[in-house]
Amino acid sequence: MTTSTSAATTEVGDRLAILDLIGRLALLLDARDWDTLEQLFTDTVYNDRTSLTGGEPVSVSAAEFVDGWRQTLQNLNAVHHLITSHVINLDGDTATCGANMQGTHVFANASGGPVWTVGGRHDYQLKRTPDGWRIAGLTFTIQWATGNENVIAHAMAAGKS
């Protein structure tokens, strides 16, 4: 009985740690705390945003992965991500998690409305490390979008001027 209780305790602890990790991702991303955000990832991160941006999936360093978000989001007036309905599958020291995601991006501009919102699915690849669970991969599959799709481009251009 002790063995199954211990295994169940470990499974519950792993699930809670993964939920906490993904919750931190959303909060740190919206706070634009780039340095702390980078600590949530493994050294190399699989990144597939092809449904949104085209191209091919890539594997990059955690620093490059977070820098991509920094370049895209840092000049926005506000950003807000909701990640819900987590379904976690554990397999020893690896796991996957599928979740719904909605991201709202706000930037006042003279060319269209100030808000662009996207919704879709996040599929996470996770690994247990000596420092706890970390995100090893992230696939975003867009399902819908509304508002001014140029908000990001306007914000990025404003940062370069």
Side-chain angles (χ1 to χ4, degrees):
M1 192 81 164
T2 304
T3 303
S4 63
T5 301
S6 177
T9 300
T10 300
E11 181 177 341
V12 169
D14 286 342
R15 289 179 183 281
L16 289 172
I18 290 168
L19 288 170
D20 184 72
L21 175 67
I22 294 170
R24 286 177 189 276
L25 169 72
L27 292 174
L28 292 169
L29 185 60
D30 292 348
R32 301 177 200 153
D33 185 345
W34 312 118
D35 293 334
T36 307
L37 185 64
E38 187 178 329
Q39 297 170 22
L40 303 183
F41 297 92
T42 55
D43 291 340
T44 301
V45 182
Y46 174 81
N47 180 19
D48 182 349
R49 296 174 55 81
T50 56
S51 74
L52 182 64
T53 60
E56 297 294 325
V58 296
S59 291
V60 296
S61 71
E64 289 173 290
F65 183 81
V66 171
D67 191 54
W69 271 337
R70 183 187 59 75
Q71 290 177 30
T72 304
L73 303 176
Q74 71 180 347
N75 294 317
L76 290 169
N77 300 126
V79 62
H80 186 247
H81 289 85
L82 300 171
I83 305 172
T84 67
S85 305
H86 304 76
V87 176
I88 299 167
N89 293 300
L90 297 167
D91 186 12
D93 289 339
T94 63
T96 59
C97 177
N100 291 326
M101 192 287 300
Q102 180 177 313
T104 301
H105 311 84
V106 181
F107 184 73
N109 65 88
S111 179
V115 178
W116 181 51
T117 303
V118 297
R121 178 183 169 122
H122 270 182
D123 286 293
Y124 299 91
Q125 300 168 10
L126 304 132
K127 290 187 180 179
R128 185 191 323 266
T129 73
D131 296 319
W133 286 96
R134 296 293 182 261
I135 300 167
L138 178 55
T139 299
F140 174 62
T141 305
I142 190 169
Q143 295 172 327
W144 60 270
T146 187
N148 183 357
E149 65 184 24
N150 296 311
V151 162
I152 300 286
H154 290 310
M156 290 175 72
K160 293 178 181 176
S161 53

